[in-house]
Amino acid sequence: MNWFAIVSFIAILLAIYLYAFYKSRSVDKQDSEGYFLGGRSLMGTTVGMSIIMTNLSTEHLVGQNGQSYVAGVEVMAWEVTASVAIVMCAWVFLPRYFKYGVNTISDFIEVRYDTMTKRIVSILFMFTYTVSFMPVVLYSGSLIFNDLFNVEQHLGVSSMTAVVIIASLIGIIGVLYLFVGGLSLVAHSDSLYGVGLVIGGLTIMVLGFIALGDSSFLNGVDRFVSQSSDKLNAWGDLDSAIVPWPTLFFGMFFNNLYFWCTNQMIVQKALAAKDLKEAQKGTMLVGFFKICGIFFLVIPGIIAYNLFGGDMEMDLAYPSLVNEVLPGWAFGIFGAVVFGAIMSSFIGALNATVTLFSLDFYKPVINKKATNRDIAKMGRILTVTVGVVVIAIAPLISLFPQGLFAVIQEFNGLYNMPLLAIILVGFFSRKTSALGAKITFIFHVITYSLSKVFLTEIHYLYVWSVLFILDITILYVLSRMKPDKEDFEFDKYQSKVDLTPWKHSKLIGTLILIVVVGMYIVFSPLVLAS
């Protein structure tokens, strides 16, 4: 990496910070709502970009392109079908969250069930984010950053030392970002990092086509389509290890609803919008982005297959492509975008963790007399504390990265389906049962755990397909048979913001759904696939 690349890398990070600091200066970060929710002042574009950057990290750039390098375009299911759930979030979930004036997902659960169920969910979120998600983001992101930009070579240290340095640096900067500026500063930074990631990702795809076509973009596209037709079928086989096609309508769909509509670190960014209209604008932007994700999270992996053959390790496909096609002067710019992607995912989970503890445990349990400023102060203390813990855990993942990552992915299955079930029942049933919610959680955990022992040959998306239907059936039946309270009065709650929906939300949402269907037609034997 030349000196221009290094200087441009530092300059971009500094410029984005100064921009975000300027944009967020009007928000009172000493107040709990200002610190955790950006003062509920974010506009649609900022909300959308912040959600995108919280979700998207190097795991996607490298991991999904690695999967497409091996399996082809069926990997796009993780991106394209997410848009369906995102539209449902804008149409169904956000109006209800805003109506009840909640700050967290667990707040809504308390409104419809009880405090114990709320705290169970909060603990599960905090444990997952702190012990698994954030350390994996820091470690795997640092590993990929080192692979892409040869940090160990430039510093003259071992690979592990370089990874520890990168992880610590990203973690420290992330903690300082959140400590100084709260969610507002982070969200405005994400708006620029998001634009950079889209441009950078598409640039790698374009340069890849040019390299594939011997300096001709069109020849590259033609060669890609003609030589990769066996990898251009988005409909995975029934026994596919990636995404069996029936699960697109069941397990994958249910998981997308969980992640995009009930996951605290995602929904919190939408709840920070100034009103429902801006929140819906932001989520619709995310919906279009997820559809476009195929062009920089899937296609480059297949380009790498055409350029290098199919013999390399899947996780090396994307770094190898970047090193092959990206000009030396641009590495600093692309490095800043990758750095921002890692940091944004880390900060998003850190902010969600701190918010849940401060609002669900500190205020109601530890210090019941705490003012909003006391809560914000505790949030800063927790930001540093949790950040230090995560930075310390991150290097330990090197002891068993593949095994731990697999465990993390499977761990989410312990609670994602019952959480989605209790929120949906809470939305649409006047009768709910806190006991039923707990029984549903217990049933799911036991049944899912047994499936990992006795149904190891069955894809987990098939298992989730069945378990969600059972979970929601059990909860609904118990809520009807043994409800805890009298019928819930949906109309008695007052929103903290304007609930006027975006007038174009139905049209734009419908357009997104049509494009999703069109993508699956194009990437099928009817059009491109062999």
Side-chain angles (χ1 to χ4, degrees):
M1 187 182 297
N2 57 39
W3 279 108
F4 176 79
I6 295 173
V7 171
S8 62
F9 172 81
I10 297 173
I12 290 171
L13 294 184
L14 182 61
I16 290 176
Y17 170 79
L18 293 175
Y19 165 82
F21 183 82
Y22 174 79
K23 293 290 289 185
S24 64
R25 70 193 188 284
S26 62
V27 176
D28 182 8
K29 287 89 172 179
Q30 303 305 315
D31 178 80
S32 62
E33 191 164 278
Y35 186 72
F36 298 122
L37 292 170
R40 296 188 187 272
S41 62
L42 303 185
M43 302 300 288
T45 302
T46 305
V47 169
M49 285 300 182
S50 188
I51 292 175
I52 288 166
M53 294 305 293
T54 296
N55 166 242
L56 190 60
S57 188
T58 48
E59 293 178 32
H60 294 78
L61 284 171
V62 175
Q64 290 190 14
N65 277 306
Q67 284 188 326
S68 67
Y69 170 79
V70 173
V73 82
E74 70 177 89
V75 178
M76 82 177 197
W78 294 105
E79 296 300 311
V80 176
T81 64
S83 297
V84 178
I86 292 167
V87 171
M88 294 300 104
C89 182
W91 285 354
V92 179
F93 288 77
L94 288 182
R96 287 166 172 80
Y97 290 145
F98 276 106
K99 178 177 177 58
Y100 301 130
V102 299
N103 294 321
T104 65
I105 297 298
S106 54
D107 278 350
F108 175 77
I109 293 172
E110 183 177 36
V111 167
R112 293 308 333 266
Y113 297 91
D114 66 0
T115 302
M116 182 177 292
T117 305
K118 164 188 177 175
R119 289 177 181 158
I120 289 172
V121 172
S122 293
I123 289 171
L124 286 170
F125 274 136
M126 290 188 296
F127 177 80
T128 302
Y129 296 157
T130 302
V131 178
S132 60
F133 182 81
M134 285 187 282
V136 167
V137 165
L138 283 186
Y139 175 78
S140 62
S142 301
L143 193 65
I144 299 308
F145 194 89
N146 184 43
D147 288 342
L148 283 173
F149 304 107
N150 298 315
V151 176
E152 61 182 283
Q153 178 182 341
H154 295 297
L155 295 181
V157 297
S158 68
S159 174
M160 180 48 59
T161 301
V163 167
V164 171
I165 291 172
I166 297 168
S168 300
L169 182 61
I170 296 172
I172 291 170
I173 292 176
V175 168
L176 289 175
Y177 249 79
L178 192 54
F179 183 89
V180 172
L183 179 63
S184 180
L185 178 69
V186 175
H188 287 296
S189 296
D190 287 346
S191 65
L192 292 185
Y193 282 125
V195 172
L197 190 62
V198 171
I199 295 174
L202 292 176
T203 298
I204 297 299
M205 182 192 71
V206 171
L207 293 176
F209 279 131
I210 292 173
L212 190 61
D214 297 324
S215 300
S216 170
F217 175 80
L218 293 179
N219 287 343
V221 172
D222 181 67
R223 182 179 173 188
F224 175 87
V225 173
S226 62
Q227 295 185 4
S228 308
S229 59
D230 59 325
K231 288 185 175 292
L232 298 184
N233 188 0
W235 300 85
D237 295 334
L238 287 172
D239 59 350
S240 169
I242 306 297
V243 184
W245 72 262
T247 65
L248 294 173
F249 306 98
F250 297 100
M252 175 66 78
F253 176 63
F254 301 150
N255 182 63
N256 282 335
L257 285 178
Y258 151 74
F259 187 85
W260 293 102
C261 305
T262 70
N263 189 342
Q264 175 63 26
M265 70 177 185
I266 297 296
V267 175
Q268 184 170 338
K269 302 301 177 66
L271 295 179
K274 65 177 295 186
D275 51 36
L276 176 60
K277 178 175 71 173
E278 295 302 321
Q280 289 180 325
K281 287 181 182 179
T283 49
M284 292 300 180
L285 175 62
V286 179
F288 276 113
F289 176 86
K290 296 302 285 185
I291 293 174
C292 296
I294 183 177
F295 297 112
F296 50 90
L297 298 175
V298 179
I299 298 298
I302 305 175
I303 293 175
Y305 175 83
N306 282 275
L307 281 175
F308 309 124
D311 296 329
M312 70 170 62
E313 293 182 19
M314 66 166 61
D315 287 342
L316 295 178
Y318 191 74
S320 298
L321 181 64
V322 171
N323 282 314
E324 176 72 19
V325 304
L326 194 66
W329 60 265
F331 268 77
I333 301 172
F334 191 73
V337 170
V338 172
F339 190 93
I342 303 168
M343 189 174 69
S344 295
S345 293
F346 168 70
I347 297 176
L350 178 60
N351 187 42
T353 302
V354 171
T355 301
L356 287 169
F357 185 88
S358 299
L359 300 184
D360 293 352
F361 293 92
Y362 176 69
K363 168 65 175 176
V365 178
I366 299 173
N367 186 1
K368 296 181 180 180
K369 296 182 180 180
T371 64
N372 281 344
R373 292 188 176 273
D374 292 332
I375 298 171
K377 182 179 179 180
M378 175 53 63
R380 284 184 165 80
I381 295 172
L382 287 170
T383 296
V384 175
T385 304
V386 175
V388 170
V389 170
V390 172
I391 292 170
I393 293 174
L396 300 179
I397 294 176
S398 64
L399 300 176
F400 39 96
Q402 293 179 339
L404 179 61
F405 186 74
V407 169
I408 292 166
Q409 294 298 95
E410 298 297 331
F411 177 82
N412 288 336
L414 286 173
Y415 69 93
N416 56 3
M417 295 299 102
L419 175 61
L420 176 61
I422 66 174
I423 288 179
L424 287 176
V425 171
F427 276 170
F428 299 108
S429 174
R430 289 188 177 274
K431 299 179 185 294
T432 55
S433 169
L435 175 63
K438 297 177 185 67
I439 290 174
T440 302
F441 266 113
I442 293 171
F443 163 79
H444 180 92
V445 169
I446 293 174
T447 307
Y448 181 72
S449 299
L450 290 174
S451 76
K452 306 312 296 179
V453 176
F454 298 106
L455 301 176
T456 56
E457 300 300 318
I458 298 179
H459 198 290
Y460 65 89
L461 287 175
Y462 281 125
V463 175
W464 289 356
S465 301
V466 176
L467 283 182
F468 173 73
I469 295 172
L470 293 176
D471 290 341
I472 200 167
T473 300
I474 291 170
L475 179 57
Y476 182 75
V477 170
L478 289 174
S479 296
R480 301 295 295 181
M481 293 176 59
K482 293 185 178 297
D484 289 332
K485 307 171 184 177
E486 299 198 2
D487 288 1
F488 181 75
E489 297 296 331
F490 287 98
D491 296 329
K492 73 178 182 179
Y493 285 86
Q494 296 296 320
S495 171
K496 297 179 181 179
V497 299
D498 184 4
L499 288 179
T500 304
W502 185 32
K503 63 181 181 180
H504 300 303
S505 65
K506 297 298 183 183
L507 173 63
I508 298 300
T510 301
L511 179 61
I512 290 174
L513 297 179
I514 291 172
V515 174
V516 169
V517 173
M519 292 287 282
Y520 270 88
I521 293 174
V522 170
F523 290 99
S524 75
L526 294 175
V527 183
L528 292 180
S530 59

